[in-house]
Amino acid sequence: MSGERTSTEGLRLPRPSRTQVKAVLLGAAGVVGLGVVWEGYKALAPETGVSIGSTLVLPRTSDLAMPHLWEMWSRALEPVTGAPDAPPLWQAVLGACGFTLRTAATGWVVGVVVGLLLGMLMQGLRTARDAVLPWVVLSQTVPLIALAPLVRRWGSQLHVGTLAWPDWWSVAVIASYLAFFPVSVGALRGFASPDAVHVELMRAYGAGWWQTFRRLRLPASVPYLLPALRLAAASAVVGTVVGEVSIGLRGGVGRMIVEFGATGSSDPAKQWSPIAGAVLVGLVAAAAVALLAVPLSRYRSSEVQS
Amino acid sequence: MSPDTASAPTPAPAVRVSSVRREFRSRTGQVVALDDVSLTVAAGEFVSLIGPSGCGKSTLLRLVADLDRPTSGTVEVFDRPAHVAREAHEYGIAFQQAGLLPWRTVLANVELPLELHGTPRAARRQRARELVDLIGLTPFAGHYPHQLSGGMQQRVAIARALAEQPSLLLMDEPFGALDEMTRERMQTELLRVRSETGAAVVFVTHSIPEAVYLSDRVVVMSARPGRVRTIVPVSRPAVPDGVDAREDAAFFADVARVREALHGPDDDDPGTDDLAGAAAPARVPATRGMDLR
Amino acid sequence: MRAVVAPLALGALVLVVWQEAVDRFDVKPYVLPAPRAIATALGDHVDAVWSGALTTAQNAAVGLLIGVVLALVCAGVAAAVSSVAGAAAPLVAAVSVMPVPALAPVLYTMFGTGAQTARVVVAALAAFVPVYVNALRGLRTVAPVHRDLMRAFSASRWQATRTVTLPGALPLVFAGLTIASSLSVISALVAEYFGGPVDGLGKAITSAVSSSQYALAWAYVVGAVVIGLVFFGAAAGLERLVARRSASSP
């Protein structure tokens, strides 16, 4: 009825429809538009920005505060430092992105596993659900990420058996901590989502808890889990970047942003590359979860907005 | 009265549909929802549209309401094109879903069309109170829709349709989602309200007894493509007070005629059909599905 | 009854076990200080926690307000002009997946390292996304029966917007606001880890940690949790109020 003719089935790539082409063109226009606004504001607004009273409400436009877009671009192609063997900036940023992604992915996996297990526990035991759920919901609303600096000393002091605790584990712990809350809530909602008629059907078949879970509750939870997994991925990335900053872990984009920001006065265009990197990490994480969702498409008849 | 051949300078017919065709484009090709449909509804007449799922009866009603446009042919309401009639607020409408605005009270929902069309506050409040009284919901005037039962919501929707004293009422399975008992009460109430207002009614249903009980004429439609198969006039004998017309022998005779018309010449097994079912026995599950929606 | 007792019992149990474990196994404060130590630190430094909380809460509140107002205006424009929505889509998607506080360092250069403005901007940006996305979805989804009704009444576009679209979008807008309220607090706090002036809870936490006052750092975290709960409680209360008026019903 709506004139939309996109085929969603199969791996054959359908020829892009007119609406898709239009969406891409509009999106490109939006990105270009942001660039135009940036440069336009820089050209027109006063060097010292716009203040109301003593508060600066619109930013300064000096080359220090708002470098030209092309300077950001050309800086990305130049070497990171003055050292003779320094790689180009973009390469260093990509490396940092990889590092951050690995940490975030580790945290995500741990968080998802713990979240699913907790969801199952809460589904199986009503008392557990009554006792735990309010805390889980509550803790989603408070800035637990404030804890990040508190795990700083773990790296230098803790040992797991004979193994020293690597610093990036601390960061992954923070990431998993943030990732696990949405998953456990989504899992519980999803596991509880089948209609009474389906649950009774399973009971009529004499299926046990595990069979009911495996055949009914788990597939039924997909529309609830996918948004939760997406949210968890975004949270894991935020947790990783913030964790890197507050622990002072070198190697990832988070730390790089702060480091390059500190040298901003002499090299203002440099700090924009790791920021682009942070966006890239977020996009890759979101895309990875979206890919994960593809084989599950038949379960996601109606995705629930969390 | 023979509205189909109306030619004398009598009042303008409420609805005149002439050679209307409506096609929908779908993924699997073109679907002809209505093909060469002509129909005239006289002023003050009650006409039901009945037929199996997919016969285009709702589409026909939507064309009359100008919620949709025909591919070819014309639709006139009181001698004016359908869209002019819509803009002049010539008709009131009710759907299968009550479609009440959940954030408005019963009274405010009934007031809605008057408010949109600029009736002063005091006058529209007054009119809404009369209507809420008419449908017997005065104690619930300040309630919100979710506090009402389905039947009550549907009564509010009918009061809303009557708000502007239209001389044409369009109703698309308004009782389709109600249980049988509520449904019969609503039918009786609709007849009473309609006799007080004298409006013409076009009523889509897939219940044969409902169509027969309410209508002056029953338009029987067939599916794929949607066509008017035949029009059955209903005898409506005068029943003594206290006797339900639904228990009259003439009523059963008319029900039988509509059922035969629905099933067509090559299908005669009237004994096994469900009274509430609309079409051939094979179609009953689908029709019931519609009922539950 | 059980719904109230069970979580409280669990909370009490966790506190007791936590305290016992720290005492018995001599857990070092840099790993986890004991609840009693945290409570003592909180009692001793209540003024410092309060003033830090005030700064962070103010940044979050101002940012939330700016973000919400901007988001509503933008969603209104995007709902009216679909090409604006299309052009904004990739930008909104990028902001929604990126760690917004990472923008803090460049914002400090743009708005000055001595001012709170950068933190407010971070909070506003974080609050913008959920409100914009929810409001736009709300403005775009109108029940078909209501759309038909508005056409049958030959309501003008503005009338239909006012009577059906706007009230219908409200519950979603407030759901977005609830998410935004939490995000604004988290972002304002985390932006402090990235630099800027020395006041605020985030800065207090980092400086307490670097001077090895772990119990005090945890006391500041308790302060942050309280701000988060206050913001969330206010927004959720508003949401419930609106939801009750427009209970989901045909």
Side-chain angles (χ1 to χ4, degrees):
Chain A
M1 293 277 268
S2 60
E4 154 174 52
R5 241 181 295 164
T6 48
S7 119
T8 49
E9 288 298 315
L11 289 172
R12 274 180 309 136
L13 284 176
R15 276 223 344 248
S17 72
R18 200 193 292 175
T19 44
Q20 283 169 322
V21 172
K22 200 176 156 202
V24 169
L25 286 180
L26 272 176
V31 174
V32 172
L34 181 68
V36 169
V37 168
W38 179 271
E39 289 295 336
Y41 175 75
K42 184 171 160 64
L44 297 176
E47 183 99 330
T48 49
V50 178
S51 302
I52 295 176
S54 58
T55 320
L56 200 57
V57 290
L58 286 176
R60 301 166 181 152
T61 60
S62 58
D63 284 342
L64 193 67
M66 291 178 65
H68 285 291
L69 292 174
W70 50 87
E71 277 167 16
M72 297 179 198
W73 176 253
S74 60
R75 183 63 190 86
L77 304 177
E78 290 162 19
V80 186
T81 56
D85 58 343
L89 177 57
W90 65 269
Q91 217 171 331
V93 168
L94 275 189
C97 286
F99 182 88
T100 300
L101 262 179
R102 186 189 61 164
T103 315
T106 311
W108 184 80
V109 169
V110 173
V112 167
V113 169
V114 175
L116 282 178
L117 288 178
L118 194 71
M120 281 169 72
L121 177 76
M122 289 195 287
Q123 159 58 34
L125 297 172
R126 230 196 103 190
T127 313
R129 176 171 67 225
D130 286 348
V132 176
L133 191 62
W135 293 104
V136 173
V137 171
L138 216 59
S139 53
Q140 258 188 305
T141 67
V142 300
L144 279 175
I145 201 168
L147 292 172
L150 292 161
V151 299
R152 183 182 203 163
R153 290 272 299 279
W154 289 9
S156 45
Q157 314 270 348
L158 279 186
H159 292 273
V160 183
T162 55
L163 254 161
W165 176 275
D167 265 333
W168 74 271
W169 282 17
S170 304
V171 177
V173 164
I174 295 166
S176 65
Y177 204 52
L178 294 188
F180 122 90
F181 291 108
V183 176
S184 59
V185 173
L188 178 64
R189 282 202 192 130
F191 295 157
S193 69
D195 291 335
V197 56
H198 291 139
V199 177
E200 280 166 9
L201 189 68
M202 296 304 277
R203 189 173 300 159
Y205 291 155
W209 184 87
W210 171 248
Q211 276 186 313
T212 309
F213 181 81
R214 166 83 187 71
R215 301 275 170 218
L216 177 62
R217 295 193 186 280
L218 193 61
S221 70
V222 169
Y224 295 81
L225 275 180
L226 287 179
L229 294 183
R230 269 203 298 272
L231 199 58
S235 299
V237 170
V238 172
T240 306
V241 170
V242 172
E244 286 171 3
V245 171
S246 49
I247 290 175
L249 177 69
R250 292 170 157 276
V253 273
R255 179 72 195 164
M256 199 177 239
I257 287 171
V258 173
E259 243 171 52
F260 290 1
T263 61
S265 50
S266 58
D267 197 354
K270 190 177 177 184
Q271 56 180 328
W272 287 92
S273 288
I275 285 179
V279 177
L280 182 72
V281 170
L283 286 175
V284 171
V289 177
L291 271 183
L292 200 73
V294 169
L296 296 175
S297 62
R298 81 187 160 107
Y299 297 109
R300 48 189 297 201
S301 49
S302 60
E303 205 160 286
V304 178
Q305 297 300 330
S306 52
Chain B
M1 188 160 64
S2 58
D4 266 339
T5 54
S7 53
T10 44
V15 177
R16 190 189 289 127
V17 175
S18 315
S19 320
V20 155
R21 181 181 175 83
R22 180 69 176 97
E23 295 164 2
F24 290 108
R25 214 163 287 171
S26 80
R27 222 164 297 172
T28 50
Q30 279 199 340
V31 176
V32 181
L34 290 173
D35 182 34
D36 192 27
V37 170
S38 296
L39 176 69
T40 305
V41 176
E45 192 187 16
F46 199 123
V47 169
S48 287
L49 309 179
I50 195 169
S53 307
C55 73
K57 51 192 192 293
S58 288
T59 307
L60 182 54
L61 189 89
R62 292 176 64 82
L63 293 178
V64 175
D66 187 44
L67 297 176
D68 191 9
R69 299 270 164 96
T71 310
S72 65
T74 58
V75 179
E76 285 175 320
V77 174
F78 293 112
D79 274 350
R80 298 199 272 185
H83 71 98
V84 178
R86 174 174 63 80
E87 281 154 20
H89 322 309
E90 289 276 19
Y91 65 78
I93 193 163
F95 305 97
Q96 179 172 4
Q97 283 178 285
L100 303 179
L101 300 183
W103 48 86
R104 282 177 166 245
T105 60
V106 165
L107 206 58
N109 262 295
V110 176
E111 270 182 57
L112 178 67
L114 300 164
E115 188 182 323
L116 289 174
H117 300 151
T119 309
R121 181 183 294 270
R124 68 181 192 235
R125 177 85 2 146
Q126 168 72 22
R127 172 80 183 135
R129 283 198 191 287
E130 287 169 23
L131 285 162
V132 171
D133 198 38
L134 179 74
I135 55 166
L137 286 182
T138 303
F140 298 93
H143 284 50
Y144 288 93
H146 69 270
Q147 299 169 305
L148 306 181
S149 70
M152 286 157 117
Q153 291 189 13
Q154 207 49 261
R155 269 144 83 185
V156 178
I158 290 169
R160 180 178 63 190
L162 293 170
E164 296 183 285
Q165 293 169 301
S167 22
L168 173 61
L169 262 182
L170 304 176
M171 310 187 94
D172 190 355
E173 294 185 42
F175 310 143
L178 305 182
D179 65 80
E180 193 63 27
M181 277 154 53
T182 315
R183 196 170 175 146
E184 289 197 350
R185 249 202 337 270
M186 299 286 294
Q187 292 164 357
T188 313
E189 208 161 328
L190 175 62
L191 280 188
R192 178 175 66 80
V193 165
R194 184 251 179 174
S195 73
E196 282 173 29
T197 59
V201 184
V202 180
F203 191 95
V204 169
T205 179
H206 48 231
S207 157
I208 300 174
E210 179 168 272
V212 171
Y213 177 65
L214 292 172
S215 314
D216 298 319
R217 285 188 299 154
V218 177
V219 176
V220 178
M221 300 181 69
S222 61
R224 279 171 286 273
R227 286 203 175 109
V228 174
R229 177 176 277 176
T230 180
I231 299 180
V232 179
V234 177
S235 34
R236 306 194 137 265
V239 239
D241 272 357
V243 175
D244 194 325
R246 281 172 280 227
E247 290 166 7
D248 193 84
F251 172 75
F252 290 116
D254 284 332
V255 166
R257 282 165 62 210
V258 171
R259 182 183 296 136
E260 277 159 30
L262 261 175
H263 292 184
D266 44 27
D267 180 340
D268 50 350
D269 184 19
T272 59
D273 205 349
D274 174 353
L275 273 188
R283 291 222 52 85
V284 166
T287 335
R288 296 303 247 165
M290 291 278 290
D291 257 320
L292 294 170
R293 205 165 45 187
Chain C
M1 198 60 207
R2 181 152 86 161
V4 179
V5 174
L8 289 182
L10 179 71
L13 182 73
V14 166
L15 279 183
V16 170
V17 171
W18 179 355
Q19 180 72 44
E20 274 300 302
V22 170
D23 290 346
R24 181 130 344 145
F25 302 109
D26 191 25
V27 176
K28 294 281 178 287
Y30 64 80
V31 177
L32 198 62
R36 203 173 290 136
I38 298 172
T40 313
L42 188 60
D44 291 348
H45 297 87
V46 86
D47 289 343
V49 175
W50 175 248
S51 80
L54 223 51
T55 306
T56 304
Q58 194 186 333
N59 290 340
V62 176
L64 181 63
L65 188 70
I66 296 173
V68 167
V69 170
L70 268 181
L72 291 180
V73 171
C74 292
V77 173
V81 190
S82 70
S83 55
V84 170
L91 303 178
V92 173
V95 176
S96 68
V97 297
M98 80 169 290
V100 174
L103 284 175
V106 295
L107 290 171
Y108 284 125
T109 1
M110 284 161 74
F111 289 100
T113 24
Q116 303 287 344
T117 321
R119 296 170 180 174
V120 171
V121 172
V122 167
L125 202 56
F128 177 90
V129 175
V131 177
Y132 173 86
V133 171
N134 275 284
L136 185 57
R137 194 191 306 138
L139 290 174
R140 279 177 167 179
T141 41
V142 174
V145 62
H146 290 158
R147 192 169 309 178
D148 281 351
L149 204 61
M150 285 297 120
R151 188 169 155 86
F153 292 156
S154 68
S156 68
R157 192 171 169 187
W158 168 236
Q159 281 181 323
T161 307
R162 211 189 47 204
T163 44
V164 171
T165 318
L166 285 182
L170 273 189
L172 267 176
V173 169
F174 279 91
L177 179 69
T178 307
I179 303 171
S181 69
S182 301
L183 279 181
S184 68
V185 174
I186 294 171
S187 306
L189 182 98
V190 168
E192 295 172 16
Y193 294 163
F194 284 80
V198 292
D199 47 0
L201 279 181
K203 278 287 180 190
I205 292 169
T206 25
S207 63
V209 167
S210 55
S211 58
S212 298
Q213 293 174 285
Y214 294 100
L216 179 59
W218 277 85
Y220 285 123
V221 171
V222 171
V225 167
V226 170
I227 306 179
L229 286 181
V230 168
F231 271 63
F232 174 78
L238 261 179
E239 184 185 355
R240 181 164 297 189
L241 209 68
V242 172
R244 216 179 36 206
R245 278 306 286 287
S246 50
S248 55
S249 167

